[in-house]
Amino acid sequence: MNTNNMVAMILAGGRGSRLFDLTKREAKPAVHFGGKYRIIDFPLSNCANSNISTVGVLLQYESILLSSYVANSSTWGLDMKGGGVYALSPREKDESNLSVYKGTADAITQNMDFLDNAEAEYVLVLSGDHIYKMNYERMLEEHIANKADATIAVMEVPKKEASRFGIMNCDEKDRIIEFEEKPANPKSNLASMGIYIFTYKTLKKFLREDEKANSSHDFGKDIIPAYLNAGLKLMAYRFKGYWKDVGTIDSLWEANMDLLDDDNKLNLFDPEWKIYTGDNLASPQLIGSKAKIDHAYITQGCTVNGEVRHSVLFTDSSIGEGARVVDSVIMNGAKIGKNARLYRCLVADNVRVPDGMTLGKKDSKEILLVTRKLVSEGE
């Protein structure tokens, strides 16, 4: 399948307020994950591995760092002739004076000139803040084979959790016949993953109509229902791999902890589907003579002189002598002092935990976000 006529548009402008201090100065897709990666690396790597050559990253909130990061298309092998990664921020235009994206659909509407210039036949719309690996090429194959107007990736979720998602109700051939936005009593457990393939010619017409309408300019709330009301053919694409929306501290911690599972479906060591990232040229890791390590994910540049159990250490973090870190995520550049104790914590970038400080509880159901403010107040 030739995916050169499909352009990917990654929605990466969300504020990510439920991640609190982690997104005060950077957009959620720029948040670090899994030691050396950023969240945005996953959809970008999926595009590269799926042979998609042209990718637009739609930026808004705290966009400077993310814009600079995605500018290097070669990181993901997307620097070939005629393609690349393009940072697309809201632009003020003569005819509309728009300066912000008013919704997910509006973000695409404001960049239809980009899609026109790329001669897009199909448009792949992605979220920039999900952790997963997916072959979009296979999804496009089904979209074309089904002669669909739109194809939506779905996955089965536990029925008791279905009310948290947009739910796609389908017939026996997986044609979507009804969409329910976070229903109190869901009719099925097929949750939308926020991954769409549209035939561009049709999408363009509906975006133009939505632009003039009094709506929230959102794919889930407006465009998908409009397609259904018009009787267009919407198909569900069933995904059975690993996928997680890391929009909260707990879910971000859980996704990092999942890397330690023996049956880790994400598998960042898979040579057949690599996740690419910007290499910061950190030094090698150093494991000291007094270190004790049990089931840990330790990245380049880390220094460990204490005890680490069932934890993930990000680039350039360090664990002091006598310190004990259990069930925790230690993000980039964080320093854990001598004889400190951390249980079920997520330590933000560059935080310094003082010698002897205890944070978190072994049996707590909640994850403690450790920030500079928390540490300074605890001293």
Side-chain angles (χ1 to χ4, degrees), residues 57-335:
V57 180
L58 282 65
L59 310 171
Q60 185 155 285
Y61 173 75
E62 289 292 350
S63 62
I64 294 176
L65 186 153
L66 193 55
S67 177
S68 174
Y69 185 71
V70 303
N72 187 7
S73 304
S74 61
T75 297
W76 304 276
L78 292 167
D79 56 341
M80 67 285 291
K81 183 178 180 181
V85 182
Y86 300 84
L88 304 173
S89 297
R91 294 163 290 159
E92 188 169 327
K93 299 179 181 179
D94 290 340
E95 70 273 18
S96 58
N97 291 319
L98 294 174
S99 58
V100 295
Y101 293 142
K102 295 180 289 186
T104 55
D106 179 63
I108 304 300
T109 300
Q110 289 199 44
N111 288 286
M112 285 196 294
D113 55 347
F114 172 77
L115 293 169
D116 291 339
N117 291 335
E119 299 181 348
E121 185 175 357
Y122 304 101
V123 178
L124 170 66
V125 179
L126 307 171
S127 173
D129 51 15
H130 296 162
I131 302 295
Y132 67 109
K133 294 194 291 189
M134 178 187 283
N135 190 333
Y136 305 131
E137 205 166 11
R138 293 178 184 169
M139 186 174 172
L140 178 60
E141 287 174 355
E142 287 202 11
H143 177 82
I144 294 172
N146 290 325
K147 298 181 180 179
D149 296 295
T151 299
I152 301 173
V154 300
M155 67 182 301
E156 295 183 8
V157 298
K159 198 68 180 285
K160 61 182 180 181
E161 297 180 16
S163 60
R164 298 194 296 110
F165 298 90
I167 297 299
M168 300 294 171
N169 299 319
C170 304
D171 64 16
E172 65 280 359
K173 294 183 179 180
D174 278 342
R175 179 167 180 167
I176 299 168
I177 56 177
E178 183 183 21
F179 170 69
E180 298 179 284
E181 178 67 26
K182 298 180 180 179
N185 299 297
K187 298 175 184 177
S188 78
N189 66 337
L190 283 181
S192 169
M193 298 170 65
I195 299 171
Y196 314 103
I197 290 180
F198 295 97
T199 300
Y200 181 47
K201 183 178 180 180
T202 305
L203 175 64
K204 191 172 183 177
K205 173 178 176 290
F206 276 79
L207 288 177
R208 286 299 186 201
E209 292 175 357
D210 180 74
E211 185 180 23
K212 302 171 185 175
N214 180 20
S215 77
S216 54
H217 308 292
D218 182 83
F219 278 107
K221 295 177 183 177
D222 304 297
I223 302 301
I224 300 305
Y227 267 54
L228 288 170
N229 291 337
L232 298 188
K233 190 173 187 180
L234 279 73
M235 298 297 298
Y237 177 78
R238 292 178 181 260
F239 179 72
K240 299 185 181 297
Y242 181 94
W243 177 86
K244 187 164 291 240
D245 180 349
V246 288
T248 65
I249 294 299
D250 283 6
S251 62
L252 180 60
W253 177 88
E254 288 170 2
N256 277 281
M257 290 293 103
D258 287 344
L259 298 174
L260 300 171
D261 289 349
D262 292 335
D263 184 25
N264 171 21
K265 293 182 179 179
L266 187 59
N267 187 11
L268 297 180
F269 298 95
D270 182 3
E272 301 299 321
W273 200 272
K274 291 183 178 181
I275 301 299
Y276 304 97
T277 187
D279 188 355
N280 66 358
L281 302 178
S283 58
Q285 61 180 235
L286 174 63
I287 309 301
S289 60
K290 296 183 179 180
K292 296 180 181 179
I293 300 172
D294 180 18
H295 205 188
Y297 193 101
I298 301 176
T299 317
Q300 59 195 18
C302 293
T303 301
V304 182
N305 289 303
E307 181 180 356
V308 179
R309 289 185 51 221
H310 198 257
S311 296
V312 179
L313 308 189
F314 286 33
T315 302
D316 290 332
S317 61
S318 68
I319 312 299
E321 187 174 328
R324 193 162 194 256
V325 176
V326 181
D327 294 331
S328 295
V329 176
I330 314 300
M331 299 188 81
N332 287 49
K335 311 296 180 186

Side-chain angles (χ1 to χ4, degrees), residues 334-348:
K335 311 296 180 186
I336 312 304
K338 295 180 180 180
N339 301 311
R341 298 287 186 268
L342 275 72
Y343 304 98
R344 294 177 66 78
C345 291
L346 193 154
V347 182

